[in-house]
Amino acid sequence: MLYLVSDHAGFALKEKIKIWLNELGQDFQDLGPAQFNPGDDYPLYAKPVAEKISSGVGRGILVCDTGEGMVIAANKFPRVRATLVTGELTAERSREHNDSNILVLGSELQSDDEARRWLEIWLETPFSGEARHKRRLDEIKGLEN
């Protein structure tokens, strides 16, 4: 299951992502906001997705203007590996090398076509499972403790 949220700055892109996920046949749940609210705060939306992912349930997608706020907030939770994707390479490597479980997009960083392409790459790319990447993820887990 994918969990999707945005703040006000990412709301329009989040609505497009919902269409794309439906077209791709992806199961997802929109955790908010249900409507545009120019005064909302991104940490309040990052939290429910990060809590689900931290508990081991699914993957997430977060959207704000630059993505920076969402990635910082989400990565405060144990077992969350939120990554700000800024191109095809970061979309692929974040999954392949880092087994990222939350994709973060900045609504002001790319075109819609780029956002969709990066989303598809992130969704399709598996974790490589290579020993060196597993070792590094274990080292990150050690930092959480």
Side-chain angles (χ1 to χ4, degrees):
M1 173 68 73
L2 288 167
Y3 299 96
L4 175 64
V5 299
S6 73
D7 67 356
H8 61 279
F11 185 78
L13 181 56
K14 177 183 71 112
E15 294 302 299
K16 292 173 187 173
I17 290 170
K18 289 166 47 176
I19 293 167
W20 302 336
L21 292 173
N22 278 322
E23 290 173 355
L24 295 169
Q26 293 285 328
D27 289 329
F28 70 92
Q29 184 177 0
D30 181 351
L31 298 181
Q35 60 189 26
F36 178 77
N37 176 359
D40 64 11
D41 296 320
Y42 62 83
L44 300 177
Y45 290 106
K47 182 181 178 185
V49 172
E51 286 176 331
K52 287 190 177 294
I53 305 315
S54 183
S55 71
V57 178
R59 292 195 285 170
I61 302 169
L62 311 177
V63 188
C64 66
D65 58 355
T66 66
E68 293 290 349
M70 288 286 200
V71 80
I72 290 168
N75 279 320
K76 298 296 182 190
F77 291 78
R79 294 171 298 284
V80 167
R81 291 177 305 282
T83 186
L84 177 60
V85 168
T86 57
E88 291 184 12
L89 183 63
T90 55
E92 179 181 55
R93 295 279 174 85
S94 69
R95 288 286 306 134
E96 190 176 74
H97 291 195
N98 308 115
D99 197 18
S100 69
N101 49 23
I102 296 182
L103 166 67
V104 182
L105 292 170
S107 64
E108 297 179 16
L109 300 181
Q110 72 281 310
S111 69
D112 289 349
D113 288 342
E114 289 171 320
R116 181 173 179 149
R117 178 71 186 129
W118 303 347
L119 168 68
E120 289 175 357
I121 291 169
W122 188 83
L123 290 170
E124 294 168 1
T125 303
F127 176 54
S128 73
E130 291 180 33
R132 65 186 173 122
H133 299 308
K134 287 181 179 179
R135 181 181 71 246
R136 293 168 186 159
L137 291 178
D138 286 341
E139 292 168 358
I140 291 171
K141 287 177 190 171
L143 296 174
E144 292 175 347
N145 300 327

Short mmCIF file of all heavy atoms in Angstrom, two decimals, residues 1-7 11 14-15 18 21 28-35 40-53 55 57-63 70 102:
data_model
loop_
_atom_site.label_atom_id
_atom_site.label_comp_id
_atom_site.label_asym_id
_atom_site.label_seq_id
_atom_site.Cartn_x
_atom_site.Cartn_y
_atom_site.Cartn_z
N MET A 1 0.85 -1.18 0.00
CA MET A 1 0.00 0.00 0.00
C MET A 1 0.89 1.24 0.00
O MET A 1 1.88 1.30 0.71
CB MET A 1 -0.91 -0.01 1.23
CG MET A 1 -1.72 1.24 1.43
SD MET A 1 -3.00 1.56 0.21
CE MET A 1 -4.21 0.35 0.63
N LEU A 2 0.49 2.22 -0.79
CA LEU A 2 1.15 3.52 -0.81
C LEU A 2 0.30 4.51 -0.04
O LEU A 2 -0.93 4.50 -0.15
CB LEU A 2 1.31 4.02 -2.24
CG LEU A 2 2.33 3.34 -3.12
CD1 LEU A 2 2.13 3.74 -4.57
CD2 LEU A 2 3.72 3.69 -2.66
N TYR A 3 0.96 5.37 0.72
CA TYR A 3 0.29 6.43 1.46
C TYR A 3 0.78 7.75 0.90
O TYR A 3 1.98 7.96 0.74
CB TYR A 3 0.57 6.31 2.95
CG TYR A 3 0.06 5.01 3.50
CD1 TYR A 3 0.91 3.93 3.64
CD2 TYR A 3 -1.28 4.86 3.82
CE1 TYR A 3 0.45 2.71 4.11
CE2 TYR A 3 -1.76 3.64 4.29
CZ TYR A 3 -0.89 2.58 4.43
OH TYR A 3 -1.37 1.37 4.89
N LEU A 4 -0.13 8.65 0.62
CA LEU A 4 0.16 9.89 -0.09
C LEU A 4 -0.33 11.08 0.71
O LEU A 4 -1.46 11.07 1.20
CB LEU A 4 -0.55 9.82 -1.45
CG LEU A 4 -0.52 11.00 -2.38
CD1 LEU A 4 0.91 11.30 -2.84
CD2 LEU A 4 -1.42 10.75 -3.58
N VAL A 5 0.53 12.11 0.84
CA VAL A 5 0.13 13.37 1.46
C VAL A 5 0.85 14.53 0.78
O VAL A 5 1.85 14.35 0.08
CB VAL A 5 0.42 13.45 2.98
CG1 VAL A 5 -0.31 12.40 3.76
CG2 VAL A 5 1.90 13.41 3.26
N SER A 6 0.35 15.73 1.07
CA SER A 6 1.01 16.96 0.66
C SER A 6 0.64 18.05 1.64
O SER A 6 -0.29 17.89 2.44
CB SER A 6 0.57 17.38 -0.74
OG SER A 6 -0.75 17.89 -0.71
N ASP A 7 1.37 19.15 1.55
CA ASP A 7 0.90 20.36 2.19
C ASP A 7 0.27 21.22 1.10
O ASP A 7 0.07 20.74 -0.03
CB ASP A 7 2.04 21.07 2.92
CG ASP A 7 3.11 21.63 1.99
OD1 ASP A 7 3.04 21.42 0.76
OD2 ASP A 7 4.03 22.30 2.49
N PHE A 11 -0.17 20.40 -3.02
CA PHE A 11 -1.51 19.88 -3.21
C PHE A 11 -1.83 19.59 -4.68
O PHE A 11 -2.36 18.52 -5.01
CB PHE A 11 -2.55 20.83 -2.62
CG PHE A 11 -3.96 20.30 -2.68
CD1 PHE A 11 -4.39 19.34 -1.77
CD2 PHE A 11 -4.84 20.71 -3.66
CE1 PHE A 11 -5.68 18.82 -1.83
CE2 PHE A 11 -6.13 20.21 -3.73
CZ PHE A 11 -6.55 19.26 -2.81
N LYS A 14 0.02 16.56 -5.82
CA LYS A 14 -0.55 15.36 -5.18
C LYS A 14 -1.80 14.89 -5.92
O LYS A 14 -1.98 13.68 -6.15
CB LYS A 14 -0.90 15.62 -3.71
CG LYS A 14 -1.55 14.41 -3.03
CD LYS A 14 -1.96 14.70 -1.61
CE LYS A 14 -3.13 15.63 -1.56
NZ LYS A 14 -4.38 15.06 -1.07
N GLU A 15 -2.64 15.82 -6.32
CA GLU A 15 -3.85 15.45 -7.04
C GLU A 15 -3.51 14.81 -8.39
O GLU A 15 -4.18 13.87 -8.82
CB GLU A 15 -4.75 16.67 -7.21
CG GLU A 15 -5.30 17.21 -5.89
CD GLU A 15 -6.09 16.17 -5.11
OE1 GLU A 15 -7.12 15.68 -5.64
OE2 GLU A 15 -5.70 15.84 -3.98
N LYS A 18 -2.29 11.19 -7.78
CA LYS A 18 -3.40 10.26 -7.58
C LYS A 18 -3.91 9.72 -8.91
O LYS A 18 -4.17 8.52 -9.03
CB LYS A 18 -4.53 10.96 -6.80
CG LYS A 18 -4.19 11.21 -5.36
CD LYS A 18 -5.10 12.18 -4.63
CE LYS A 18 -6.55 12.00 -4.79
NZ LYS A 18 -7.36 12.93 -3.96
N LEU A 21 -1.24 7.29 -10.22
CA LEU A 21 -1.25 6.01 -9.49
C LEU A 21 -2.42 5.14 -9.93
O LEU A 21 -2.27 3.93 -10.06
CB LEU A 21 -1.28 6.26 -7.98
CG LEU A 21 -0.02 6.89 -7.37
CD1 LEU A 21 -0.25 7.23 -5.90
CD2 LEU A 21 1.19 5.97 -7.54
N PHE A 28 -3.41 2.89 -3.26
CA PHE A 28 -2.91 3.98 -2.43
C PHE A 28 -4.02 4.54 -1.58
O PHE A 28 -5.20 4.35 -1.86
CB PHE A 28 -2.28 5.09 -3.29
CG PHE A 28 -3.27 5.87 -4.10
CD1 PHE A 28 -3.83 7.04 -3.60
CD2 PHE A 28 -3.63 5.45 -5.37
CE1 PHE A 28 -4.74 7.76 -4.35
CE2 PHE A 28 -4.54 6.17 -6.13
CZ PHE A 28 -5.10 7.33 -5.61
N GLN A 29 -3.60 5.25 -0.55
CA GLN A 29 -4.54 5.94 0.32
C GLN A 29 -4.05 7.38 0.46
O GLN A 29 -2.90 7.62 0.82
CB GLN A 29 -4.61 5.26 1.68
CG GLN A 29 -5.64 5.87 2.60
CD GLN A 29 -5.73 5.11 3.92
OE1 GLN A 29 -5.04 4.12 4.15
NE2 GLN A 29 -6.59 5.58 4.78
N ASP A 30 -4.92 8.32 0.17
CA ASP A 30 -4.62 9.74 0.32
C ASP A 30 -4.91 10.11 1.77
O ASP A 30 -6.06 10.07 2.21
CB ASP A 30 -5.48 10.55 -0.65
CG ASP A 30 -5.22 12.04 -0.58
OD1 ASP A 30 -4.49 12.50 0.31
OD2 ASP A 30 -5.76 12.76 -1.45
N LEU A 31 -3.87 10.48 2.51
CA LEU A 31 -4.02 10.83 3.92
C LEU A 31 -4.15 12.34 4.14
O LEU A 31 -4.11 12.80 5.27
CB LEU A 31 -2.87 10.26 4.74
CG LEU A 31 -2.73 8.74 4.74
CD1 LEU A 31 -1.57 8.30 5.61
CD2 LEU A 31 -4.03 8.07 5.18
N GLY A 32 -4.28 13.10 3.06
CA GLY A 32 -4.58 14.51 3.22
C GLY A 32 -3.60 15.45 2.56
O GLY A 32 -2.55 15.04 2.09
N PRO A 33 -4.03 16.66 2.52
CA PRO A 33 -5.34 17.17 2.89
C PRO A 33 -6.38 16.85 1.80
O PRO A 33 -6.03 16.60 0.66
CB PRO A 33 -5.12 18.69 3.00
CG PRO A 33 -4.02 18.96 2.03
CD PRO A 33 -3.14 17.74 2.06
N ALA A 34 -7.64 16.91 2.20
CA ALA A 34 -8.72 16.62 1.26
C ALA A 34 -9.00 17.82 0.36
O ALA A 34 -9.54 17.66 -0.73
CB ALA A 34 -9.99 16.24 2.02
N GLN A 35 -8.62 19.00 0.82
CA GLN A 35 -8.80 20.20 0.02
C GLN A 35 -7.64 21.15 0.28
O GLN A 35 -6.94 21.03 1.28
CB GLN A 35 -10.13 20.88 0.32
CG GLN A 35 -10.28 21.30 1.78
CD GLN A 35 -11.70 21.76 2.07
OE1 GLN A 35 -12.64 21.35 1.43
NE2 GLN A 35 -11.83 22.62 3.06
N ASP A 40 -1.79 25.41 5.97
CA ASP A 40 -1.42 24.17 6.64
C ASP A 40 0.10 24.05 6.80
O ASP A 40 0.86 24.82 6.22
CB ASP A 40 -2.01 22.95 5.94
CG ASP A 40 -1.50 22.72 4.52
OD1 ASP A 40 -0.53 23.38 4.11
OD2 ASP A 40 -2.09 21.88 3.83
N ASP A 41 0.51 23.11 7.63
CA ASP A 41 1.93 22.90 7.96
C ASP A 41 2.35 21.49 7.59
O ASP A 41 1.73 20.51 8.01
CB ASP A 41 2.17 23.13 9.45
CG ASP A 41 1.88 24.57 9.86
OD1 ASP A 41 2.22 25.48 9.09
OD2 ASP A 41 1.31 24.77 10.95
N TYR A 42 3.45 21.38 6.83
CA TYR A 42 3.89 20.08 6.31
C TYR A 42 4.20 19.03 7.37
O TYR A 42 3.94 17.86 7.15
CB TYR A 42 5.08 20.25 5.35
CG TYR A 42 6.31 20.83 5.98
CD1 TYR A 42 7.21 20.05 6.68
CD2 TYR A 42 6.58 22.19 5.88
CE1 TYR A 42 8.33 20.58 7.27
CE2 TYR A 42 7.70 22.73 6.46
CZ TYR A 42 8.57 21.93 7.16
OH TYR A 42 9.68 22.48 7.75
N PRO A 43 4.75 19.38 8.56
CA PRO A 43 5.03 18.30 9.52
C PRO A 43 3.78 17.52 9.94
O PRO A 43 3.86 16.32 10.18
CB PRO A 43 5.64 19.04 10.72
CG PRO A 43 6.21 20.29 10.16
CD PRO A 43 5.26 20.67 9.05
N LEU A 44 2.64 18.20 9.98
CA LEU A 44 1.41 17.53 10.37
C LEU A 44 0.96 16.50 9.32
O LEU A 44 0.27 15.54 9.66
CB LEU A 44 0.30 18.55 10.59
CG LEU A 44 0.59 19.60 11.67
CD1 LEU A 44 -0.55 20.61 11.76
CD2 LEU A 44 0.86 18.93 13.01
N TYR A 45 1.36 16.69 8.07
CA TYR A 45 1.02 15.73 7.03
C TYR A 45 2.09 14.66 6.86
O TYR A 45 1.77 13.52 6.52
CB TYR A 45 0.74 16.45 5.70
CG TYR A 45 -0.54 17.22 5.77
CD1 TYR A 45 -0.54 18.61 5.87
CD2 TYR A 45 -1.76 16.56 5.79
CE1 TYR A 45 -1.73 19.31 5.97
CE2 TYR A 45 -2.95 17.25 5.89
CZ TYR A 45 -2.93 18.63 5.98
OH TYR A 45 -4.10 19.31 6.10
N ALA A 46 3.34 15.01 7.10
CA ALA A 46 4.41 14.01 7.02
C ALA A 46 4.22 12.95 8.10
O ALA A 46 4.50 11.77 7.88
CB ALA A 46 5.77 14.67 7.17
N LYS A 47 3.75 13.36 9.26
CA LYS A 47 3.66 12.47 10.42
C LYS A 47 2.84 11.20 10.19
O LYS A 47 3.34 10.10 10.47
CB LYS A 47 3.12 13.23 11.63
CG LYS A 47 3.05 12.38 12.87
CD LYS A 47 2.49 13.15 14.05
CE LYS A 47 2.40 12.22 15.26
NZ LYS A 47 1.75 12.86 16.40
N PRO A 48 1.60 11.26 9.71
CA PRO A 48 0.83 10.01 9.58
C PRO A 48 1.44 9.01 8.60
O PRO A 48 1.37 7.80 8.82
CB PRO A 48 -0.56 10.46 9.13
CG PRO A 48 -0.41 11.84 8.65
CD PRO A 48 0.79 12.42 9.33
N VAL A 49 2.05 9.51 7.55
CA VAL A 49 2.71 8.60 6.59
C VAL A 49 3.94 8.01 7.24
O VAL A 49 4.15 6.79 7.21
CB VAL A 49 3.05 9.33 5.28
CG1 VAL A 49 3.91 8.44 4.39
CG2 VAL A 49 1.79 9.74 4.56
N ALA A 50 4.75 8.84 7.86
CA ALA A 50 5.99 8.35 8.50
C ALA A 50 5.67 7.35 9.61
O ALA A 50 6.40 6.37 9.77
CB ALA A 50 6.80 9.52 9.04
N GLU A 51 4.60 7.55 10.35
CA GLU A 51 4.21 6.59 11.39
C GLU A 51 3.87 5.24 10.78
O GLU A 51 4.27 4.20 11.32
CB GLU A 51 3.02 7.13 12.20
CG GLU A 51 3.40 8.25 13.14
CD GLU A 51 2.21 8.85 13.87
OE1 GLU A 51 1.08 8.85 13.32
OE2 GLU A 51 2.41 9.34 14.98
N LYS A 52 3.13 5.24 9.69
CA LYS A 52 2.78 3.97 9.04
C LYS A 52 4.03 3.25 8.53
O LYS A 52 4.20 2.05 8.74
CB LYS A 52 1.80 4.20 7.90
CG LYS A 52 0.40 4.53 8.38
CD LYS A 52 -0.58 4.52 7.24
CE LYS A 52 -1.99 4.77 7.71
NZ LYS A 52 -2.54 3.70 8.56
N ILE A 53 4.91 4.00 7.88
CA ILE A 53 6.11 3.40 7.32
C ILE A 53 7.03 2.93 8.45
O ILE A 53 7.62 1.85 8.37
CB ILE A 53 6.84 4.39 6.39
CG1 ILE A 53 5.92 4.93 5.30
CG2 ILE A 53 8.10 3.77 5.80
CD1 ILE A 53 5.04 3.95 4.59
N SER A 55 6.18 1.79 11.23
CA SER A 55 5.63 0.55 11.80
C SER A 55 5.75 -0.63 10.83
O SER A 55 5.32 -1.73 11.15
CB SER A 55 4.17 0.76 12.20
OG SER A 55 3.35 0.86 11.06
N VAL A 57 4.53 -0.69 7.54
CA VAL A 57 3.40 -0.82 6.63
C VAL A 57 3.62 0.01 5.38
O VAL A 57 3.66 1.24 5.44
CB VAL A 57 2.09 -0.37 7.33
CG1 VAL A 57 0.91 -0.45 6.38
CG2 VAL A 57 1.83 -1.19 8.57
N GLY A 58 3.80 -0.62 4.24
CA GLY A 58 3.80 0.04 2.94
C GLY A 58 4.94 1.00 2.68
O GLY A 58 5.99 0.97 3.32
N ARG A 59 4.69 1.88 1.70
CA ARG A 59 5.61 2.94 1.32
C ARG A 59 4.81 4.23 1.19
O ARG A 59 3.58 4.20 1.11
CB ARG A 59 6.29 2.63 -0.02
CG ARG A 59 7.25 1.46 0.06
CD ARG A 59 8.17 1.38 -1.15
NE ARG A 59 7.48 0.87 -2.33
CZ ARG A 59 8.00 0.89 -3.55
NH1 ARG A 59 9.19 1.39 -3.77
NH2 ARG A 59 7.32 0.39 -4.57
N GLY A 60 5.51 5.35 1.15
CA GLY A 60 4.83 6.63 1.12
C GLY A 60 5.32 7.58 0.06
O GLY A 60 6.42 7.41 -0.47
N ILE A 61 4.50 8.58 -0.21
CA ILE A 61 4.84 9.66 -1.12
C ILE A 61 4.42 10.96 -0.45
O ILE A 61 3.26 11.12 -0.05
CB ILE A 61 4.12 9.52 -2.48
CG1 ILE A 61 4.46 8.18 -3.14
CG2 ILE A 61 4.47 10.70 -3.39
CD1 ILE A 61 3.60 7.85 -4.34
N LEU A 62 5.37 11.88 -0.32
CA LEU A 62 5.14 13.18 0.31
C LEU A 62 5.47 14.28 -0.69
O LEU A 62 6.45 14.18 -1.42
CB LEU A 62 6.03 13.36 1.54
CG LEU A 62 6.06 12.22 2.56
CD1 LEU A 62 7.06 12.55 3.67
CD2 LEU A 62 4.70 11.96 3.14
N VAL A 63 4.68 15.35 -0.69
CA VAL A 63 4.91 16.45 -1.61
C VAL A 63 4.74 17.78 -0.90
O VAL A 63 3.74 18.01 -0.21
CB VAL A 63 3.93 16.41 -2.81
CG1 VAL A 63 4.31 17.44 -3.86
CG2 VAL A 63 3.84 15.03 -3.43
N MET A 70 9.43 18.12 4.12
CA MET A 70 8.84 16.79 4.26
C MET A 70 9.91 15.74 4.54
O MET A 70 9.72 14.86 5.38
CB MET A 70 8.05 16.41 3.01
CG MET A 70 6.75 17.15 2.83
SD MET A 70 5.47 16.57 3.98
CE MET A 70 4.01 17.16 3.14
N ILE A 102 10.02 6.07 1.43
CA ILE A 102 9.20 7.25 1.19
C ILE A 102 9.85 8.08 0.10
O ILE A 102 11.01 8.47 0.20
CB ILE A 102 9.01 8.11 2.46
CG1 ILE A 102 8.25 7.33 3.54
CG2 ILE A 102 8.27 9.40 2.12
CD1 ILE A 102 7.98 8.11 4.81
#
